[in-house]
Every structure is written in C-alpha cells, then in structure tokens.
Amino acid sequence: MNIKRNVLLNPGPATTTDTVKMAQVVPDICPREKEFAGMMKQLRADLLRVAHAPAEKFTSVLFCGSGTINIDICLNSLLPEGKKVLVVNNGAYSSRAVEVCQYYGLPHIDLKSSVFDQPDLDQVKKALDENPDVAVVYTTHHETGTGILNPIREIGALAHQHGAIFVVDTTSSLGMIPFDMVQDNVDFCMASAQKGLMAMTGLSFIIGNEAEIRKSKDYPKRSYYCNLYLQYDFFERTGEMHFTPPVQTIYATMQALKEYFEAGETEKFARHHRVIEAIHQGLADMGLREVIRRDIQSGLVASVLYPNDANWDFERVHDYCYEHGFTIYPGKISTTNTFRLCSLGTIDTPDIEAFFKVLKEAFEKNGIQIPAKYD
Ligand SMILES: *Cc1c(COP(=O)(O)O)cnc(C)c1O
C-alpha cells in the first residue's frame, strides 16, 4: 500500500506512521466481543503508563469524541453542588473551558490573564483565598493557541492546599514533553489519540483519581452522554464503553502505543525537541519573529508574527505549502496576527529542512521579502 505522506505542522491531528494507518484495516468485529474488551483493558492500562499515573490511585476512562469532549466531561461531572470552578485562563483552550462552564451554568471564576505570558501564581492564590467555595481548579498545560507552557505543578500545589481537585487539559502535551501525574499535583488530565500518541481522531480519554470519580457519583447530573461516573462505572462492570466505541481508531491507538513504548518516551521527547529547534532555526534564518519568549514555550508550537509586508497573504503561502505536502496553521490570538508551526507527529529534522525550502519558495513566488520585513 502506497499512501502519500503529508507533513502536518498544525497542532493535531498529527502525521502518523504507515503502520498506524494500516492498523485500522482489520476484519469486521462487533465491539461487544470479549476480544475487543480485552484490548480496551490493555489500552486503559497503557494510558496510565504514558501519564505516569500509578494504577493504585488512578484510572483512565475512554470516550468517543474529539478532545473537547474531555473538557466538557470533567467540568460538568466533577463539580459538587454549591461549589465553584476556578479557571486559570491565559489562552484559547482555557477560554473554551470557561465557555463550557457558561453553557452548563456552572458557578465559576474566569481568572483571565495575558495570552502572552504565564499566569501569575499570586493571583491564583489570591483568588483561592477569596473564594473558599472553589472545589475544582482548572487550567491548560500547554496553551496550544500560543505555545505557552503553564506552571501546573505550582498551580496544583495551590489547589491542593486549598482542598480543591486540579484538572488539567494536557491534550497538546501528553506524550510529547515530560509529565508526571503525581509529581505535577494533577488529579485529572486528558488527551485524544490524534495528538501526542500519533494515532487517529475520534478517541479521547481522561486519566483521573479513582476515588474522586467514585465521589462524583452523587454530584449533580448535568449531562447523560458526557457523564464521567456513568462511563467509568460501565467500564468497571463490563470492560466496555457504554455506547459504540470508535472501533478502527482504537486499533490504530493500540498500534501507536506499541510504537510509543518501543521508541521510549525519552527518545520521543528528544525528537520533538530537535524538530522545534529546527523550526526556530528556520524561522530565524528567514528573519521571521516569534511572539512568545523562548523560556516559557512548550517546545511544541512556534507562534510566528505576520511580516509587515504588503505582499503577505497567509492563505497564498498556506496553499503553496499545502500543494507541496506541508500543512501550516493560523494562530489563535485575537489581538495579533500569527501563524503556527508545530512539532507534533512522526516528523524529524529533514522534514523541517524540506519545509523551509518550500516556505522560501512560497515567499519568493508571492514577492514577500526575505528576510521578513517588520516595522
Ligand atoms: C486539540 C486540543 C483540544 C481538543 O480540540 P478538538 O478540536 O476537540 O480536538 C483541547 N485542548 C487543547 C489544549 C488542544 O490542543
């Protein structure tokens, strides 16, 4: 089988191996068979290993949906009656959590801060001191919209001092940079199969403190399909998803996890790192500027400022790159025009070198100056 290889520089879904693509082509199976349940049991255990979450205390629960389903589920399921959520918000993905709170009418505090910087821990502490009824502290590990890495270990310690649980959106960091459920003071984290694991879309998962999930049985029920306890309880009793799972994506994810453990996380983290270093270098060579200081970047996303060039046209640059097998992605900062280059997926430095050749051609074809012009 000969499948065209595209280099995806967008923040997920990511470029996959051919073996992961092919793992989806399997004999038809009813997912209610024991064989399939056995596979999901293995998958749930493997996910704990990826997050360094000890099985005595943590469990993983699978859902059919894109990553946003996890944000929805954690927030609507884990808030006790009469309590509040504190969202530590410095970007588009934490703003999405605020929107989930709004849609469910959950009492919440939107602790908003600059999208160009990490949140201020003193402000987090102050918000907790002033609001003894906060039971859930929520933030995003890697703000994919900008590329900022947030200080989750410190925020988690503050949450725990306050007696709150700490929920972190790790969708764009898990399996790509170091993360440790216990040392990072995290009670619930989440991701979907198409990002760090380099599998396919449609499978999402929450890794969380099992005792807290059991406690949530008696919390207000705000959703049926997206209730964490209901899905957890069904898995515990039957080993299956409550409703139809994304069968082929699960086969691909099993293969992706096999490849993940074979490569080893150290090697995989190092590869993502050298890819982003090659991206930084390529940008600098073209005189393109990044908007986030290097010392607070995740090492997975570079946010690039649009040049001040009358001929600059993101769509045209994008289309030229796309036609040549490279996908670049718009930014997610409402006040500043940026585009993003990401180091997710099964790509390496030769892909980045090839990409910058194409990007230079795109600039030349469109009469955009190199080095890039800024006033
Ligand atoms: C990709 C991503 C999600 C999920 O987005 P979907 O479009 O639902 O897949 C959630 N949080 C973060 C930080 C992400 O990068």
Side-chain angles (χ1 to χ4, degrees):
M1 186 125 166
N2 200 354
I3 316 168
K4 180 175 175 239
R5 180 167 179 274
N6 287 328
V7 172
L8 300 186
L9 300 173
N10 52 293
T15 301
T16 57
T17 60
D18 286 352
T19 36
V20 165
K21 292 181 189 79
M22 291 304 297
Q24 297 175 101
V25 184
V26 287
D28 294 323
I29 183 170
C30 170
R32 298 297 173 204
E33 292 301 327
K34 277 194 216 68
E35 184 188 338
F36 200 80
M39 208 167 64
M40 282 200 287
K41 185 165 179 230
Q42 177 67 44
L43 173 54
R44 291 177 68 203
D46 284 352
L47 292 174
L48 294 182
R49 284 170 65 204
V50 171
H52 295 275
E56 307 82 69
K57 189 171 168 193
F58 295 96
T59 186
S60 61
V61 187
L62 311 178
F63 291 89
C64 185
S66 83
T68 303
I69 202 170
N70 295 325
I71 305 176
D72 185 321
I73 292 162
C74 283
L75 288 166
N76 91 61
S77 307
L78 294 169
L79 187 67
E81 184 80 67
K83 299 288 184 182
K84 256 188 214 152
V85 182
L86 172 67
V87 182
V88 180
N89 176 4
N90 64 334
Y93 287 94
S94 288
S95 291
R96 191 174 293 180
V98 170
E99 281 180 20
V100 170
C101 292
Q102 289 165 348
Y103 269 65
Y104 282 108
L106 303 177
H108 67 281
I109 302 160
D110 178 8
L111 188 67
K112 220 169 167 166
S113 59
S114 168
V115 301
F116 297 104
D117 216 334
Q118 290 177 324
D120 180 353
L121 296 171
D122 290 336
Q123 292 297 320
V124 176
K125 185 168 186 316
K126 185 162 168 277
L128 288 170
D129 289 344
E130 286 169 0
N131 295 278
D133 54 351
V134 167
V136 176
V137 175
Y138 181 102
T139 200
T140 306
H141 188 203
H142 165 212
E143 251 303 342
T144 326
T146 52
I148 291 178
L149 190 68
N150 282 327
I152 52 168
R153 191 169 294 192
E154 291 78 4
I155 299 171
L158 291 172
H160 289 167
Q161 276 161 31
H162 184 82
I165 59 163
F166 187 38
V167 180
V168 184
D169 176 353
T170 51
T171 314
S172 63
S173 54
L174 193 69
M176 295 180 279
I177 53 175
F179 175 79
D180 185 300
M181 201 81 190
V182 177
Q183 283 178 32
D184 286 324
N185 299 316
V186 174
D187 298 294
F188 290 85
C189 74
M190 59 186 82
S192 51
Q194 86 271 19
K195 296 218 179 178
L197 300 181
M198 310 192 304
M200 298 296 159
T201 57
L203 176 70
S204 292
F205 50 88
I206 294 167
I207 298 165
N209 182 314
E210 199 164 355
E212 291 296 336
I213 299 178
R214 290 227 181 87
K215 265 203 249 170
S216 75
K217 180 177 195 267
D218 302 319
Y219 294 174
K221 311 271 177 309
R222 303 171 177 103
S223 172
Y224 176 70
Y225 198 76
C226 291
N227 182 271
L228 182 56
Y229 179 79
L230 204 63
Q231 185 82 323
Y232 160 79
D233 183 55
F234 203 84
F235 262 118
E236 290 304 301
R237 285 188 287 112
T238 66
E240 296 177 20
M241 270 196 201
H242 200 172
F243 307 107
T244 309
V247 175
Q248 286 70 21
T249 296
I250 287 176
Y251 280 102
T253 308
M254 290 304 291
Q255 176 63 27
L257 282 162
K258 184 168 164 265
E259 292 174 17
Y260 181 91
F261 293 120
E262 272 167 14
E265 64 171 25
T266 312
E267 173 46 37
K268 186 171 184 286
F269 297 170
R271 182 173 55 73
H272 291 301
H273 182 74
R274 61 178 183 264
V275 168
I276 202 77
E277 287 298 321
I279 290 173
H280 292 318
Q281 188 61 50
L283 290 170
D285 289 347
M286 290 180 70
L288 285 162
R289 292 191 192 160
E290 297 184 38
V291 297
I292 304 298
R293 319 199 291 277
R294 194 67 64 85
D295 64 305
I296 59 168
Q297 288 188 23
S298 63
L300 297 165
V301 169
S303 281
V304 187
L305 195 62
Y306 280 5
N308 286 117
D309 189 313
N311 289 332
W312 172 257
D313 183 332
F314 176 77
E315 282 305 314
R316 290 170 74 162
V317 172
H318 165 275
D319 292 354
Y320 186 87
C321 294
Y322 184 76
E323 282 156 23
H324 291 80
F326 298 93
T327 300
I328 64 174
Y329 205 65
K332 236 187 199 332
I333 305 174
S334 55
T335 55
T336 311
N337 281 322
T338 56
F339 69 92
R340 283 177 286 175
L341 301 178
C342 311
S343 63
L344 279 63
T346 171
I347 59 176
D348 212 331
T349 46
D351 296 310
I352 302 305
E353 284 152 23
F355 162 70
F356 276 103
K357 283 205 186 81
V358 169
L359 186 65
K360 277 194 192 113
E361 282 167 24
F363 272 49
E364 284 157 11
K365 290 251 174 354
N366 287 289
I368 305 162
Q369 275 189 28
I370 306 174
K373 223 169 78 179
Y374 293 99
D375 330 304

